[in-house]
Amino acid sequence: MAAAEFDYETGFSRNIGWFTEEEQAKLGSKKVVIAGCGGAGGNHANTMARLGIGKFHLADFDTFGIENFNRQAGAAMSTVGKSKLGVTEAAVLDINPEAEIKTFPDGVTDDNLEAFLEGADLYLDSLDFFAMHARRSIFEACAKRNIPAVTAAPLGMGTAFLCFMPGEMTFEEYFGLEGKSEDEQYLRFYLGLSPAGLHNQYLVDPTKLSVTEKRGPSTIIGCTMGAAVAAAYVVKILLGRGDVVSAPEGAQWDPYLNKLEKTNLEGGHLSPVFQTQLAGAKQLFGLS
């Protein structure tokens, strides 16, 4: 059998109907940058590739292990010990051989941040939960460069969504991390991601979750759902169609509980709701 020849219009023709031919071509010209190619990032990259996004910056310094099998798109026996970045890049090119990809094998650092965001139309946050310095740096840089930034965190068997748009509330204004201890930054990020806290209702073993020890449970359900929710916003932002909900508003979808809860931390971290939750969390984890 002769090898198939790739054709962009044919490869993404089944998107047409939900997108026009012109819109699909527009997606093909856009650059989405993704920091992290693990549980969230691998699913994001795969979803972006199948939407027909044509340009990528991908960053990750880690390798796959067996502990990643439960949730990471690229994790399999054939990839144990292999670069998450390399596996993800190959997967994107296997879907769209014409995709333009620039890789950052050291992850996103202070030294390469400018290059990572160069020409970006949108940033998808897929960093490890505890990579707070890199996350803060990227979101701050996105705000300065007027780059939309989307995060859809996998939480339990659902996802919590936030979008930071140019000229609106920033990541720092929402979470208030500046000057806080590392442990408090983790708490603030966790609470701000999901003020509704829906996933907390069915955590069967709380000992598996520890913000201070940098560990927590996860599922492919949350990772896959997060990728889908984020992708819908990527489409709306890049094509300029549909209402965009942005911080301080957000949402948490939890199909396990059959619930969608819209959130609004008016004033961001200064919100009385947030401050009350933070005080309780700090007491629970023994933080002053």
Side-chain angles (χ1 to χ4, degrees):
M1 180 184 296
E5 290 188 14
F6 177 76
D7 175 74
Y8 182 91
E9 290 184 3
T10 303
F12 303 104
S13 60
R14 295 298 178 92
N15 288 340
I16 306 305
W18 300 114
F19 313 136
T20 67
E21 286 85 353
E22 293 77 16
E23 287 175 327
Q24 185 65 63
K26 189 174 184 179
L27 291 176
S29 71
K30 296 297 185 181
K31 180 185 290 185
V32 172
V33 301
I34 303 173
C37 295
N43 283 284
H44 281 322
N46 183 285
T47 306
M48 292 298 101
R50 296 191 185 281
L51 280 174
I53 296 298
K55 301 176 184 179
F56 296 85
H57 284 181
L58 303 175
D60 203 303
F61 56 80
D62 201 6
T63 57
F64 284 115
I66 293 177
E67 69 278 5
N68 302 141
F69 280 21
N70 76 310
R71 69 198 183 283
Q72 300 196 9
M77 288 304 296
S78 60
T79 62
V80 171
K82 292 185 178 181
S83 160
K84 294 180 181 181
L85 179 61
V87 170
T88 302
E89 179 186 18
V92 171
L93 290 172
D94 211 18
I95 296 166
N96 179 2
E98 296 176 354
E100 300 176 19
I101 305 177
K102 183 174 182 179
T103 59
F104 295 78
D106 295 324
V108 180
T109 68
D110 292 339
D111 292 333
N112 68 21
L113 176 57
E114 185 173 342
F116 177 68
L117 292 177
E118 184 179 3
D121 292 296
L122 186 141
Y123 168 62
L124 268 179
D125 181 32
S126 310
L127 289 167
D128 182 272
F129 177 88
F130 299 102
M132 205 56 66
H133 175 75
R135 177 173 282 110
R136 291 180 61 194
S137 297
I138 295 172
F139 274 94
E140 180 181 2
C142 285
K144 290 179 179 178
R145 291 164 174 77
N146 293 318
I147 299 170
V150 172
T151 183
L155 291 174
M157 288 181 266
T159 186
F161 169 83
L162 286 170
C163 176
F164 295 89
M165 292 296 289
E168 299 184 14
M169 177 173 278
T170 67
F171 182 88
E172 175 59 31
E173 288 170 342
Y174 183 83
F175 289 103
L177 305 181
E178 181 67 32
K180 302 301 186 294
S181 70
E182 188 177 71
D183 286 344
E184 183 170 337
Q185 287 184 43
Y186 298 146
L187 281 179
R188 284 173 171 263
F189 185 56
Y190 182 76
L191 295 171
L193 279 175
S194 57
L198 298 179
H199 53 292
N200 294 328
Q201 299 179 42
Y202 53 88
L203 179 64
V204 295
D205 186 354
T207 66
K208 300 301 181 183
L209 171 63
S210 174
V211 173
T212 55
E213 295 177 22
K214 300 183 181 181
R215 59 178 172 83
S218 57
T219 70
I220 186 60
I221 302 169
C223 291
T224 304
M225 189 171 182
V229 169
Y233 257 67
V234 170
V235 167
K236 290 205 288 185
I237 293 169
L238 295 184
L239 297 182
R241 52 181 271 195
D243 294 333
V244 174
V245 174
S246 58
E249 295 183 65
Q252 185 172 4
W253 286 267
D254 197 302
Y256 182 79
L257 294 176
N258 301 316
K259 286 186 177 181
L260 160 62
E261 188 153 337
K262 297 179 181 179
T263 58
N264 186 356
L265 283 184
E266 190 172 350
H269 70 281
L270 299 176
S271 161
V273 172
F274 181 85
Q275 288 296 321
T276 299
Q277 291 180 339
L278 178 63
K282 289 173 71 173
Q283 182 175 13
L284 177 65
F285 287 99
L287 298 179
S288 57

